[in-house]
Amino acid sequence: MIISERIIKVLKERNMTQAEFAKQVGISTSTISEWKKRKTNPTVEKIMDICNVLQITPEQLLTGKGIEDEEEIAAASPESKFTPGDVQMIEDYHNLKEEQQKRLMAYMEALKKIESLEDM
């Protein structure tokens, strides 16, 4: 199960409409439609807002623990699971100021470019 599927599942469990959820998170209902079609996923900037509205932790949203059945989690591919360090990184990112977030993203892009050059 991917993040957007977990969100939809929790919405149903909470009897919350997509319109109500979208308003509380500060996104459009068309964004939720894109998630359902698997065209996009929630942005990092919105993860904490989503968790606050749904009253779940980032770990639950990212890993499925406490949302999905244990069988669903075990069946998920290893690359779709997030470690506690991954969750901490997202929480830390969310706590940065916007300018710091942009700077961090630029660092990551630079590292990717360096790595691709080293692979040549």
Side-chain angles (χ1 to χ4, degrees):
M1 188 178 288
I2 62 174
I3 292 171
S4 56
E5 292 171 327
R6 291 183 192 117
I7 293 169
I8 302 305
K9 181 175 181 174
V10 174
L11 285 175
K12 289 178 184 174
E13 290 172 356
R14 303 274 195 281
N15 293 319
M16 182 182 285
T17 67
Q18 291 179 19
E20 179 183 2
F21 172 72
K23 183 178 179 181
Q24 289 184 32
V25 173
I27 57 173
S28 67
T29 53
S30 63
T31 298
I32 298 171
S33 295
E34 295 295 305
W35 296 347
K36 289 175 84 173
K37 294 175 190 173
R38 292 183 171 205
K39 289 187 177 182
T40 62
N41 269 311
T43 62
V44 172
E45 293 83 9
K46 287 295 178 183
I47 294 290
M48 292 305 293
D49 295 332
I50 290 166
C51 291
N52 289 335
V53 169
L54 296 178
Q55 298 175 344
I56 59 175
T57 66
E59 180 180 17
Q60 288 173 308
L61 180 61
L62 298 173
T63 66
K65 292 178 183 174
I67 295 174
E68 300 174 39
D69 296 333
E70 290 303 315
E71 298 81 36
E72 289 177 303
I73 294 170
S77 60
E79 60 271 2
S80 69
K81 295 183 180 180
F82 291 90
T83 67
D86 297 332
V87 173
Q88 183 63 52
M89 190 180 318
I90 290 171
E91 289 174 349
D92 290 345
Y93 176 86
H94 181 73
N95 290 324
L96 295 173
K97 294 178 181 172
E98 184 177 349
E99 190 56 40
Q100 292 171 313
Q101 291 175 348
K102 288 178 184 176
R103 194 171 180 186
L104 180 59
M105 296 304 290
Y107 288 148
M108 288 192 332
E109 287 304 315
L111 286 171
K112 287 187 228 176
K113 286 179 185 177
I114 291 169
E115 186 175 308
S116 70
L117 290 172
E118 290 175 343
D119 290 340
M120 291 184 161

